[in-house]
Amino acid sequence: MPESIWFRDDDRPRRPRLTRERIVTAAVALLDAEGGAGFSMRALAARLRAGTMSLYEYVRSKEDVLDLALDEVIGEIEPAEAGPWRELLVRQLTQSRQVMRRHPWVPALTATRPLLGPNAVARSRVFYSALAEAGLSGATLVAAVGTLSSYVNGFVASENTWWDTVRTPEADAEIRGKVSRHLDDHVDELARHAQVDNGDFDAQFLLGLDLILDGIVTRLPPG
């Protein structure tokens, strides 16, 4: 006769039931580790130690999970406080860059879907409101938002690719030195202007952002 469960202590660990929150947390971790190319529902289920089909009790598709994961990390951008429009935008865009550096899969994913999650909408509302209160409207306002967003996404995408390839500050300095010496020897005009030995990504980002914001200022109504 098989032993009855009532005759023994069954202290085997039990997996907690899945929740949408656990799925999203695991999805962010998987995307951070493997990138978008390595993301699948099977890999996500394995990380959660669950059956793949059990995930579909909480989400309809892989795309649902990606939408939720993206909005989750956008929530890492701190809600903007009141202040001058330019300072507010610099603060929010600087934090956006930091989020995309922590989660390198974000720039590519934002280009593939509408950003309509609650965190994304809240931050977009701040963004549009700041520029509208500064005096922009209509197509000019939309173009300003698009230009700023494209600048940050493009800058960080290039930055992430660079560090994925170069990996260390020492290797970065070495290749910059080689390029600088080559330009000195062969392309004098570029050597004078290109400043390839400048590896300060933070300063470059803020300077480029200032140039765009300066351009936006010229479109503001007088006063």
Side-chain angles (χ1 to χ4, degrees), residues 47-62:
R47 182 173 281 266
L48 288 162
R49 300 178 64 189
T52 302
M53 296 308 298
S54 66
L55 301 180
Y56 293 101
E57 297 179 33
Y58 304 90
V59 292
R60 288 187 178 183
S61 67
K62 171 184 171 180

Side-chain angles (χ1 to χ4, degrees), residues 174-194:
E174 180 181 358
I175 193 169
R176 288 180 185 278
K178 289 180 178 179
V179 172
S180 181
R181 290 189 295 273
H182 177 84
L183 293 180
D184 285 339
D185 293 341
H186 302 287
V187 195
D188 183 61
E189 184 177 359
L190 278 179
R192 290 197 305 271
H193 301 301

Side-chain angles (χ1 to χ4, degrees), residues 99-113:
V99 166
M100 294 181 195
R101 289 288 291 129
R102 288 195 297 271
H103 309 288
W105 46 273
V106 168
L109 202 59
T110 57
T112 65
R113 63 201 61 239

Side-chain angles (χ1 to χ4, degrees), residues 22 38 52 54 65 68 77 84 90 95 113 121-122 156 160 169 179 215-216:
R22 285 189 64 214
T52 302
S54 66
V65 178
L68 291 166
I77 302 171
V90 169
Q95 288 191 37
R113 63 201 61 239
V121 168
V156 180
N160 287 343
V179 172
I216 289 174

Side-chain angles (χ1 to χ4, degrees), residues 192-214:
R192 290 197 305 271
H193 301 301
Q195 297 187 355
V196 294
D197 56 340
N198 180 9
D200 189 341
F201 283 88
D202 295 341
Q204 291 174 30
F205 174 80
L206 290 174
L207 178 57
L209 185 54
D210 271 344
L211 290 173
I212 296 172
L213 292 172
D214 287 346

Side-chain angles (χ1 to χ4, degrees), residues 1 13 19 30 45 54 66 76 93 103 111-112 117 135 138 150-151 153 157 159 170 174 176 189 196 207 216 219:
M1 177 182 297
T19 63
L30 178 58
S54 66
L66 293 175
E76 295 176 15
L93 291 169
H103 309 288
T112 65
S150 296
Y151 170 70
N153 282 16
E159 187 178 10
E170 293 77 17
E174 180 181 358
R176 288 180 185 278
E189 184 177 359
V196 294
L207 178 57
I216 289 174
R219 295 298 189 114

